[in-house]
Amino acid sequence: MQKEALQVLKTSEDTILLSPTGSGKTLAFLLPIIESLDPESKEIQVLIIVPSRELALQIEQVVREMGSGYKANAIYGGRAGSKDKIDLQHPPAILIGTPGRIADHIERESFAVKSIKTLVLDEFDKSLEIGFEAEMKAIIWELPQIRRKILTSATEPKKIPAFVGLRDPFFINYLHEGNKKLSIKVVKSAKKDKLETLVELINQIGNQPSIVFCNFKDSIDRVSEFLNSMNIPHGSFYGGLEQNDRERALIKFRNGTYHLLLATDLAARGIDVPEIKFIIHYHLPIKAEEFTHRNGRTARMHQSGTAYVLQSPDEQLPDFIPSDYISLQEIEKGEDGSQKFETLFISGGRKDKISKGDIAGLFMKEGKLTKEELGIIELKQDCAFVAVKSDKANNLVSKLNNTHLKKRKIRIKVL
């Protein structure tokens, strides 16, 4: 898919790229885009519109890790306008953002649009589905000079709106590849309330990365309260959370502080998480597309994965869910669900010239950690997050809080 996209996007004016979640679509469109950038230009050349903050941040991170030398910035609702202003003072070559925030900046004339020649609508069907049509119309209307449009999705589009203005688009379609190593199993709950069945299932599959999907944020609060009462570590992720809470939930999920994430369909696409072993549908998805996207978080690339569907006695399975039933006793027992890592917050980041190597050095030299006791380090612009073995966390805070790193006094605390 990436090889074909690289060839097609060099010559095609308009392209629709359809490929399953986790198959590498982001790199597929970024590689030819970066090849075509003008290194002499000081203006924005590429605009990438995405349906969620998390996807914007993920693409920004991918561009940074590619090491192309081109600046990329993500702007989105919920982010301080002052941060946008700082980023846009020196315009990036690639601007990534959610429709509402991009439309707002175009209306305010926060940046010049005349040099934007490439428009990417990533997961375009989701943006339309969650009510961004007016904003997307407004953005496209203000970009008449666009020479190339790229639309991506992980599901077959029902209809592409006329306002997108596609001119005989070239289709790259790998949806038939599907999730070949995905296993879907239905677990029956004895009661209408599925909480006890959920906990039994979690205990059975053990300590492996899993996402539990609920249809409503109120349900997540209820499930979370029950899991807390059972001492099962987990995080929560849904649209009503503050951006900081959403980001930190994903950080702690990625680094193994907990292995269970309760989420709405917001987490069905465009979030940067590790290989997910299990998907659990606590609530039945309403549409086939969401079932596909939820399941797309597991069995990615060449890995295998399992999606469990919890069915209460009074529920009928929709046609798009295969009725392959399994009892809890038939599920292979996984590792125990004990918590192994804790996340530490550090009050210094990239802007302080601090690197991951600096942090690892401090924790291993001054904190006396071994390689096995130090987990994933995530470095942000103004802070960092470090996973350490749980039994070392409090001792490290006592030892290292208010020490110096790169001439900066840093605070360290358990997150």
Side-chain angles (χ1 to χ4, degrees):
M1 180 272 292
Q2 290 178 337
K3 284 179 182 176
E4 184 178 344
L6 190 57
Q7 293 304 313
V8 170
L9 292 173
K10 284 179 180 178
T11 56
S12 176
E13 283 188 341
D14 292 340
T15 308
I16 295 174
L17 174 57
L18 306 174
S19 192
T21 302
S23 57
K25 289 192 293 296
T26 303
L27 270 180
F29 66 73
L30 281 177
L31 283 166
I33 281 175
I34 286 173
E35 270 190 12
S36 68
L37 292 176
D38 176 6
E40 301 301 318
S41 175
K42 304 296 182 189
E43 301 293 342
I44 297 166
Q45 300 178 59
V46 179
L47 180 61
I48 302 175
I49 300 177
V50 297
S52 70
R53 307 165 187 178
E54 286 71 28
L55 186 50
L57 289 165
Q58 185 180 338
I59 295 173
E60 180 189 42
Q61 182 68 17
V62 171
V63 176
R64 183 179 293 124
E65 288 172 354
M66 289 170 78
S68 66
Y70 288 103
K71 185 185 178 196
N73 288 119
I75 60 176
Y76 43 84
R79 183 180 192 248
S82 57
K83 289 187 176 181
D84 288 359
K85 191 174 180 182
I86 291 167
D87 286 341
L88 295 171
Q89 275 178 351
H90 302 285
I94 302 172
L95 182 64
I96 310 131
T98 48
R101 183 58 64 101
I102 293 284
D104 184 55
H105 278 296
I106 288 177
E107 187 179 343
R108 293 168 184 266
E109 300 183 349
S110 305
F111 54 83
V113 299
K114 64 182 184 299
S115 296
I116 300 174
K117 299 295 189 287
T118 297
L119 175 66
V120 180
L121 305 181
D122 196 18
E123 301 282 11
F124 70 93
D125 54 316
K126 186 65 178 175
S127 292
L128 293 172
E129 185 182 298
I130 56 181
F132 283 131
E133 184 170 342
E135 290 88 346
M136 290 171 75
K137 272 184 181 175
I139 293 165
I140 292 170
W141 177 258
E142 294 294 336
L143 302 173
Q145 74 293 344
I146 290 292
R147 292 179 189 162
R148 173 171 61 176
K149 295 190 183 97
I150 303 167
L151 278 64
T152 82
S153 179
T155 51
E156 197 81 48
K158 291 186 177 72
K159 186 183 177 185
I160 295 164
F163 71 79
V164 178
L166 293 183
R167 301 150 294 187
D168 191 23
F170 190 100
F171 277 79
I172 302 172
N173 191 344
Y174 281 77
L175 291 177
H176 58 277
E177 296 289 318
N179 287 13
K180 292 180 178 176
K181 295 193 175 181
L182 173 68
S183 174
I184 299 172
K185 301 291 182 184
V186 181
V187 176
K188 281 195 169 184
S189 170
K191 302 176 183 175
K192 183 176 180 180
D193 191 329
K194 305 175 189 176
L195 287 174
E196 289 179 11
T197 306
L198 174 65
V199 169
E200 286 181 58
L201 176 59
I202 290 167
N203 288 334
Q204 193 69 15
I205 62 179
N207 192 24
Q208 299 188 65
S210 307
I211 299 180
V212 179
F213 279 104
C214 300
N215 289 347
F216 312 104
K217 63 182 183 181
D218 289 349
S219 305
I220 288 180
D221 291 338
R222 180 170 175 269
V223 173
S224 178
E225 189 177 327
F226 189 74
L227 293 184
N228 283 333
S229 73
M230 304 298 288
N231 295 315
I232 297 176
H234 64 279
S236 298
F237 183 85
Y238 53 86
L241 285 175
E242 291 292 327
Q243 181 63 21
N244 260 353
D245 293 331
R246 277 162 60 167
E247 286 183 25
R248 292 180 181 193
L250 293 182
I251 286 166
K252 293 170 86 170
F253 186 52
R254 281 194 290 265
N255 69 24
T257 295
Y258 43 64
H259 300 273
L260 197 65
L261 188 69
L262 307 181
T264 58
D265 284 322
L266 180 67
R269 30 178 154 184
I271 61 169
D272 183 17
V273 293
E275 179 60 38
I276 305 300
K277 191 65 182 169
F278 300 108
I279 296 298
I280 301 173
H281 300 274
Y282 181 77
H283 286 144
L284 301 182
I286 296 166
K287 292 188 286 188
E289 290 85 352
E290 290 311 330
F291 188 58
T292 299
H293 283 296
R294 288 179 180 187
N295 293 339
R297 305 314 310 176
T298 188
R300 294 156 72 88
M301 303 302 279
H302 303 297
Q303 303 295 318
S304 60
T306 305
Y308 290 106
V309 178
L310 300 189
Q311 182 188 16
S312 63
D314 59 345
E315 283 182 317
Q316 295 294 317
L317 292 180
D319 293 340
F320 54 81
I321 297 179
S323 53
D324 189 357
Y325 290 93
I326 190 171
S327 69
L328 289 165
Q329 292 72 32
E330 291 176 89
I331 297 170
E332 186 178 342
K333 183 76 173 169
E335 303 169 27
D336 72 78
S338 59
Q339 191 174 10
K340 295 180 179 179
F341 280 94
E342 200 73 69
T343 301
L344 300 185
F345 168 87
I346 298 178
S347 65
R350 275 192 297 269
K351 70 177 176 59
D352 305 299
K353 311 298 183 190
I354 292 171
S355 70
K356 290 184 181 180
D358 295 328
I359 294 170
L362 175 70
F363 275 64
M364 294 173 80
K365 188 176 178 182
E366 304 297 330
K368 308 298 184 191
L369 283 191
T370 64
K371 284 183 181 179
E372 292 71 28
E373 292 167 336
L374 180 63
I376 293 172
I377 299 171
E378 290 204 27
L379 191 61
K380 305 294 183 184
Q381 190 65 13
D382 54 2
C383 63
F385 302 89
V386 186
V388 299
K389 281 292 180 72
S390 298
D391 57 357
K392 301 287 181 180
N394 290 327
N395 185 42
L396 283 165
V397 172
S398 300
K399 270 188 185 179
L400 302 179
N401 190 32
N402 292 321
T403 55
H404 284 78
L405 192 56
K406 280 286 178 76
K407 298 182 180 179
R408 175 187 166 87
K409 189 176 184 180
I410 56 166
R411 290 181 297 106
I412 298 178
K413 64 179 182 180
V414 177
L415 193 62

